[in-house]
Structures are given as C-alpha cells and as structure tokens.
Amino acid sequence: MQKIKFDKFFFLGLFVVGSVLANQYVNFVRWQDPTEMLWFCDFTAVSLGLGLIFRNKIMVTLAFTMAVPAQFRWILDFLLEQIGMGAGRTAELAGYGSTVFWLSVNLHTIVIPISFFGVWKLGFSKKALIPILVYGFVLLTATFLLTVPEENINCVFYACDASNPGSGYLKYFLIKNLLFWEITFALSFLISKKIAEFFVERNKK
C-alpha cells in the first residue's frame, strides 16, 4: 500500500466510494435497514474505492475478479431490459423511483470498468486469491446469518429471480450460493491471472 496521492487513482476511488454512500443513503432513507450495506456491489465497490485511493493492488484485483462474474448478469439484464427482454432484476428497481434506480445503475456499472482500469494501471496482484476467498466467505456467510429470506440480499436464501420457497435455505446457501461463488471467484481469478501474464509477457517482446 502506498501513500495517498491526489492523482487520478485518488479521484476515481473517491468517486466510487461517493457512489456507494449515495446509493446507501437513498436506500437507508427508504428502508432504514443497515444490512443493505451487505449487498455485494456496495461492499465490493468500497474495497475498490479504498484500493484506488491507497493504490492497493490486492483490493483492486479483488474487486475486478469478483465483480466480473457477479455483476455481469445484472448489467446484461439492464441492457436487455431496455428492449423488453430483461429477467426483472432492474425492472423492479424502477418501481422505487428514478433516484434509487439511477444511483443503483451507476454503482453496478462502474465497478467492472474502473477496477479493470485499476488493474491495468496498477498491475494484477497474484497474492489476491486468498483474500478473495476469505472475503467471499465472510460476506456471504454474514449475509446469511444477519439478514432475512424476505430480503434475499446477495441471493443467499434462494435464486435471485425465483420466488421465496419458504424452506431449504441452509442447503441452498451452502451448495448453490457459497460453494458456487467461491469456485466461481477462484476460476475468475485464475483466468484473469493467465490473461494478465499473457499481456505482461507480450509487452516484454
């Protein structure tokens, strides 16, 4: 971790953290539920923002490799929703008003490109795998233990686009949520690492 410099990384990080605070503010005013902070996009964006501000490659790499598989479907649904083919994830947000909708859209869409920029400029951290797995385990487990099925934050109780089944939450969480995402995050890291190594070697030639 390096000292804070008031450069492009600092201001990008500030923008990301500011986006999280704005999104959390409108959500807290509406629902007054502090567990809303446990949403993956908010928590991971904080990691990204702080990683950019402190030029921490591990935190930026964590945000990028986890956001790509976790948020891609949300972004795809948003794009499909514009032509009437979405699965309903972003359509539901529209019912909460334009402020909530656009702040959420902003937060979901900035993490991948900004974290990619951070990895590209600061470098890919090969030491990020363990922090990624620990982070994923802690965040998902905390969500399962501290929230209720009706909210289904991070889809830990049942599938994001499904109806509440009323039971079977623990089995779903352990196998289809926690195990699934830990494997997915690890694969995303390994694939990203290979791609980063390819470009590093190519640039040496």
Side-chain angles (χ1 to χ4, degrees):
M1 186 178 294
Q2 301 182 21
K3 293 181 179 179
I4 296 178
K5 296 180 180 180
F6 296 99
D7 56 8
K8 57 188 175 185
F9 298 110
F10 174 83
F11 290 108
L12 265 180
L14 205 61
F15 169 67
V16 174
V17 173
S19 295
V20 175
L21 293 176
N23 185 60
Q24 281 297 310
Y25 174 75
V26 295
N27 279 284
F28 186 78
V29 167
R30 179 177 291 275
W31 290 286
Q32 297 187 1
D33 182 4
T35 61
E36 287 288 317
M37 184 61 194
L38 291 174
W39 278 106
F40 174 86
C41 55
D42 294 85
F43 227 83
T44 305
V46 170
S47 174
L48 172 60
L50 295 178
L52 290 169
I53 290 172
F54 292 102
R55 302 168 74 93
N56 185 297
K57 292 196 299 183
I58 292 179
M59 295 175 75
V60 175
T61 300
L62 177 150
F64 175 70
T65 56
M66 298 181 79
V68 168
Q71 293 190 244
F72 176 76
R73 289 180 62 186
W74 197 99
I75 296 172
L76 179 62
D77 182 72
F78 171 74
L79 296 175
L80 290 175
E81 194 65 41
Q82 308 314 304
I83 57 175
M85 298 176 62
R89 297 187 185 190
T90 51
E92 183 180 353
L93 285 173
Y96 299 138
S98 59
T99 301
V100 172
F101 178 78
W102 286 113
L103 285 175
S104 181
V105 168
N106 168 68
L107 185 60
H108 280 83
T109 54
I110 65 174
V111 175
I112 292 177
I114 292 180
S115 60
F116 173 77
F117 175 79
V119 169
W120 178 39
K121 291 295 185 180
L122 297 175
F124 185 91
S125 174
K126 297 180 180 180
K127 300 179 181 179
L129 180 57
I130 298 303
I132 285 170
L133 296 178
V134 171
Y135 171 82
F137 177 85
V138 171
L139 178 60
L140 294 175
T141 302
T143 304
F144 183 79
L145 295 176
L146 299 176
T147 64
V148 294
E150 289 71 24
E151 297 295 333
N152 201 28
I153 293 176
N154 294 324
C155 310
V156 296
F157 295 100
Y158 51 93
C160 297
D161 303 319
S163 300
N164 188 343
S167 62
Y169 302 132
L170 181 59
K171 181 180 179 180
Y172 174 87
F173 168 68
L174 292 175
I175 299 175
K176 295 186 178 182
N177 185 270
L178 184 60
L179 180 61
F180 171 81
W181 282 114
E182 290 287 81
I183 292 174
T184 300
F185 292 146
L187 288 175
S188 178
F189 171 83
L190 294 174
I191 293 171
S192 300
K193 178 172 173 286
K194 287 294 182 182
I195 294 173
E197 289 172 347
F198 169 78
F199 281 106
V200 169
E201 289 300 318
R202 194 183 72 167
N203 290 335
K204 288 180 180 179
K205 297 178 180 179

